[in-house]
């Protein structure tokens, strides 16, 4: 599929689940901030707090 087709399908899916690209990006940014703070480290990548990340993605701590 050309990339614009994939983006169209993603936009349709987000509309169906009453979400938006902006909301998804904000949640991902919050998750990455919780994982790495202000700077990526290999240690943080390998030793993540999956509970905290899940909570953020499910709308808890720092999530919307």
């Amino acid at each position: 599929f050309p990339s614009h087709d994939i983006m169209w399908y993603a936009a349709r899916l987000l509309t169906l689940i009453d979400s938006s690209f902006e909301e998804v990006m904000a949640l991902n940014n919050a998750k990455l901030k919780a994982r790495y703070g202000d700077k990526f480290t290999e240690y943080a990548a390998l030793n993540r707090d999956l509970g905290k990340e899940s909570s953020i993605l499910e709308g808890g701590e720092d999530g919307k």
Side-chain angles (χ1 to χ4, degrees):
F1 293 105
S3 63
H4 61 278
D5 288 346
I6 293 170
M7 294 302 290
W8 183 85
Y9 285 111
R12 294 291 300 143
L13 176 62
L14 289 169
T15 299
L16 288 172
I17 63 170
D18 195 31
S19 190
S20 67
F21 285 108
E22 291 80 11
E23 288 179 43
V24 171
M25 291 185 321
L27 285 172
N28 192 53
N29 285 338
K31 177 193 72 168
L32 293 173
K33 181 79 169 171
R35 184 183 299 173
Y36 300 118
D38 292 324
K39 183 179 178 186
F40 172 85
T41 66
E42 187 173 338
Y43 178 84
L46 297 172
N47 298 283
R48 303 180 347 219
D49 183 345
L50 296 177
K52 185 173 183 180
E53 290 180 23
S54 292
S55 177
I56 290 169
L57 294 174
E58 293 167 3
E61 311 168 30
D62 300 324
K64 306 224 176 211

